[in-house]
Each structure stands twice: as C-alpha cells, then as structure tokens.
Amino acid sequence: MYICVCNAISERQVQEAIAQGAADLSDLQATLGIATCCGQCADTATDYLPGGRYATELAAVPAVAPDRVVQAPLLTSTEIRRVA
C-alpha cells in the first residue's frame, strides 16, 4: 500500500525507515521525502511511528538497508501552488 502517492512511498518503506531509527515525521521526511509535496500523507505516516496505531506492526518488518535516500526540501504553500 502506498502511504505517499505524490512520492510513491510504500508502507514497507516507512516501516523500514522507522526500524532503522526514524523517530518522528521530520526523520521520515529527511529519509524518504514523505509529506514533502501535498502533505496529505503526514497523519498516516505518523501512525506508523512509535506510539501510533500501526506501530506494533513494525515487529514483523526485518531491518534492511534503504535502497534510496531522498533529500527533499520542504515547500511553502505558495511554492506548492506554483508547482501544481
């Protein structure tokens, strides 16, 4: 399942990033680029972080090295409107 449609980030990628130490949304943004476009996925991504409703599902995900790291700047709402 995709968590972030804008950046094609899957549930598995979010789980792996958290298993490797991502502790908050800013860590996920820096590691994967999640919630850096429209932001609609931020709440769902946060649900996978420790204390979130899907956090217990992480125990079943083996830790592996990420296949890519995305450096994505945070955009202001004005910049997002210009891109769209």
Side-chain angles (χ1 to χ4, degrees):
M1 172 175 84
Y2 282 105
I3 301 297
C4 178
V5 176
C6 296
N7 294 315
I9 300 168
S10 69
E11 176 183 40
R12 165 92 52 205
Q13 289 172 291
V14 171
Q15 291 172 327
E16 289 172 352
I18 293 168
Q20 292 178 1
D24 56 26
L25 183 59
S26 64
D27 288 344
L28 292 175
Q29 288 174 318
T31 303
L32 300 173
I34 200 162
T36 58
C37 192
C38 76
Q40 292 296 309
C41 59
D43 288 339
T44 303
T46 303
D47 285 340
Y48 286 87
L49 292 166
R53 66 180 173 172
Y54 300 126
T56 57
E57 294 179 14
L58 289 178
V61 178
V64 296
D67 57 346
R68 67 183 175 114
V69 175
V70 176
Q71 295 290 332
L74 297 178
L75 301 176
T76 66
S77 58
T78 304
E79 291 170 321
I80 291 170
R81 279 189 224 111
R82 275 190 241 141
V83 172

